[in-house]
């Protein structure tokens, strides 16, 4: 069974929230999560909402949609890749190349989360 988890930036504080995704009647997104002795619900910025891919990096950190990975293959230069949903599956894209399927054996051996497009967009400029 896979874990269903979302994240989004709190609309007020700008801090990341992780939990269940829900929507208000007027279609504003909210993240619901457990805190201390009960659930909290925070409105999040719609553009920042991303889903957990089910994959982890080499440090066992969960990889979310819109994360930026630093990957090294066969001791070549470090490449920054963007995680995205494409063609009904999770993929990574390097520069402007066609997205490539994510393979867990590659993620947990060669890749590390270094940021995301909302906090670190400049990382995608590396190597262009």
């Amino acid at each position: 069974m896979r874990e269903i988890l979302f994240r989004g930036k709190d609309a007020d504080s700008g801090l990341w929230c992780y939990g269940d995704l829900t929507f208000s009647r007027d279609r504003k997104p909210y993240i619901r999560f457990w805190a201390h002795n009960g659930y909290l619900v925070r409105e999040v910025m719609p553009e920042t909402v991303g889903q957990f891919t089910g994959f982890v990096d080499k440090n066992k950190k969960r990889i979310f949609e819109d994360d930026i990975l630093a990957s090294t293959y066969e001791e070549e230069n470090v490449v920054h890749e963007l995680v995205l949903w494409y063609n009904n599956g999770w993929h990574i894209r390097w520069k402007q190349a066609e997205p490539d399927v994510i393979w867990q054996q590659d993620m947990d051996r060669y890749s590390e989360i270094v940021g995301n497009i909302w906090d670190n967009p400049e990382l995608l400029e590396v190597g262009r």
Side-chain angles (χ1 to χ4, degrees), residues 54-65:
F55 298 104
V56 296
D57 72 359
K58 68 181 183 180
N59 299 316
K60 305 300 179 218
K61 286 182 64 180
R62 293 177 175 137
I63 299 173
F64 282 82
E65 181 177 8

Side-chain angles (χ1 to χ4, degrees), residues 7-120:
R7 73 172 180 196
K9 283 189 126 181
D10 185 302
D12 293 324
S13 69
L15 297 175
W16 286 102
C17 300
Y18 298 81
D20 298 325
L21 179 63
T22 186
F23 293 91
S24 65
R25 286 192 177 133
D26 59 354
R27 302 298 299 155
K28 290 182 181 177
Y30 289 81
I31 298 287
R32 177 179 170 256
F33 58 96
W34 181 261
H36 306 294
N37 293 325
Y39 281 101
L40 293 177
V41 178
R42 295 283 188 255
E43 181 181 349
V44 293
M45 294 179 255
E47 65 275 9
T48 66
V49 172
Q51 187 174 1
F52 171 50
T53 63
F55 298 104
V56 296
D57 72 359
K58 68 181 183 180
N59 299 316
K60 305 300 179 218
K61 286 182 64 180
R62 293 177 175 137
I63 299 173
F64 282 82
E65 181 177 8
D66 297 331
D67 274 343
I68 299 171
L69 307 176
S71 301
T72 307
Y73 299 102
E74 300 175 10
E75 301 195 24
E76 294 178 13
N77 295 331
V78 173
V79 174
H80 287 165
E81 302 166 310
L82 175 65
V83 177
L84 66 148
W85 181 259
Y86 175 79
N87 202 19
N88 294 320
W90 292 111
H91 291 69
I92 52 176
R93 185 178 74 206
W94 177 67
K95 293 187 179 182
Q96 299 302 320
E98 191 70 17
D100 193 12
V101 174
I102 291 179
W103 298 99
Q104 182 59 62
Q105 65 269 22
D106 290 342
M107 295 297 105
D108 60 17
R109 287 178 54 201
Y110 303 111
S111 297
E112 177 177 22
I113 298 169
V114 293
N116 61 68
I117 63 170
W118 309 111
D119 295 334
N120 318 95

